[in-house]
Amino acid sequence: EAGVAQSPRYKIIEKRQSVAFWCNPISGHATLYWYQQILGQGPKLLIQFQNNGVVDDSQLPKDRFSAERLKGVDSTLKIQPAKLEDSAVYLCASSFKRELHEQFFGPGTRLTVL
Amino acid sequence: QKEVEQDPGPLSVPEGAIVSLNCTYSNSAFQYFMWYRQYSRKGPELLMYTYSSGNKEDGRFTAQVDKSSKYISLFIRDSQPSDSATYLCAMSVYNTDKLIFGTGTRLQVFP
């Protein structure tokens, strides 16, 4: 079974630029999560989708972050404009059923904002 | 006060040692407890998942939950250099799948 795919793996941008990350979850997984992991911290949930609907986006900085999951499969997370404090690893995870509490993570995209 | 507290380490042990990793939490509504392992430049992978108080064993790994003390542990027996990674505890309340993670403990097992 293929795992969660993410691209790009690394991205370096200057502050105030925009950036987008892509995630392809495990086939058949209805729930998709985006996490932000700042160096030395645990992952923090940004947004959660069930199919193509948003379940929880309470910790998403909506003035600069946006995410979508068209057709309930792939998802993109965008930051516009980026700030220095957005430097982090952005992890995508998916799960087959929310009730199972088992989330499978992708390798992440490491973002550096200069 | 953070909802989940975890000592960041680093913890350095010799090969073959028993390792104890711990987390404390403040939210008594947490019902599901997980341990994830994260290798450098990789995403976290689920190691253990427990629901009730008590012990759960899987090979060299034992997860322990003490809800009365709001304390969870992960024990690794016969530790190997391949166990060198960051170990993250995570927990969620009943009927939700929103995970709250600890900061992670970096473990190094030297030969």
Side-chain angles (χ1 to χ4, degrees):
Chain A
E1 169 180 83
V4 176
Q6 289 188 249
S7 68
R9 291 295 313 276
Y10 305 92
K11 190 73 178 177
I12 300 174
I13 62 172
E14 296 192 348
K15 61 183 179 184
R16 291 187 290 273
Q17 285 187 321
S18 62
V19 64
F21 314 126
W22 174 82
C23 172
N24 180 238
I26 294 172
S27 177
H29 282 198
T31 310
L32 185 147
Y33 314 80
W34 282 102
Y35 288 86
Q36 179 192 58
Q37 187 175 22
I38 293 171
L39 186 65
Q41 298 183 20
K44 182 185 83 172
L45 180 69
L46 291 176
I47 188 167
Q48 176 184 348
F49 292 93
Q50 179 71 18
N51 296 309
N52 59 349
V54 175
V55 174
D56 184 351
D57 64 355
S58 57
Q59 298 191 92
L60 187 74
K62 298 181 186 65
D63 58 334
R64 297 184 301 106
F65 286 64
S66 64
E68 61 181 7
R69 189 182 185 199
L70 298 176
K71 301 180 182 179
V73 182
D74 293 5
S75 178
T76 56
L77 176 69
K78 296 179 181 177
I79 308 175
Q80 181 179 13
K83 293 185 175 181
L84 296 176
E85 58 262 35
D86 298 332
S87 293
V89 175
Y90 291 84
L91 294 161
C92 179
S94 69
S95 69
F96 177 63
K97 276 175 110 171
R98 294 175 62 190
E99 296 79 7
L100 294 179
H101 293 263
E102 184 169 10
Q103 299 180 21
F104 296 86
F105 283 81
T109 296
R110 183 176 297 271
L111 173 68
T112 302
V113 182
L114 303 175
Chain B
Q1 182 189 12
K2 290 182 181 178
E3 280 191 284
V4 180
E5 300 274 3
Q6 186 175 9
D7 188 333
L11 183 62
S12 186
V13 301
E15 183 175 356
I18 296 175
V19 176
S20 172
L21 303 165
N22 311 294
C23 287
T24 59
Y25 61 95
S26 57
N27 188 350
S28 57
F30 286 139
Q31 297 288 326
Y32 296 94
F33 305 91
M34 295 118 204
W35 285 95
Y36 281 83
R37 178 175 61 195
Q38 186 173 26
Y39 290 113
S40 180
R41 301 189 183 274
K42 301 283 188 184
E45 58 176 323
L46 183 64
L47 272 181
M48 301 283 287
Y49 159 42
T50 58
Y51 170 68
S52 57
S53 283
N55 293 354
K56 182 177 180 179
E57 194 172 313
D58 184 2
R60 296 185 296 112
F61 299 91
T62 300
Q64 190 175 77
V65 174
D66 182 349
K67 289 185 180 179
S68 62
S69 301
K70 298 191 181 68
Y71 189 89
I72 68 170
S73 300
L74 178 71
F75 298 96
I76 307 175
R77 290 185 298 280
D78 187 24
S79 56
Q80 303 295 310
S82 58
D83 294 328
S84 299
T86 295
Y87 289 80
L88 296 151
C89 64
M91 39 200 86
S92 64
V93 302
Y94 178 75
N95 218 27
T96 79
D97 55 344
K98 180 176 179 177
L99 294 181
I100 307 299
F101 282 86
T103 55
T105 299
R106 190 156 63 91
L107 171 66
Q108 183 175 6
V109 181
F110 56 90

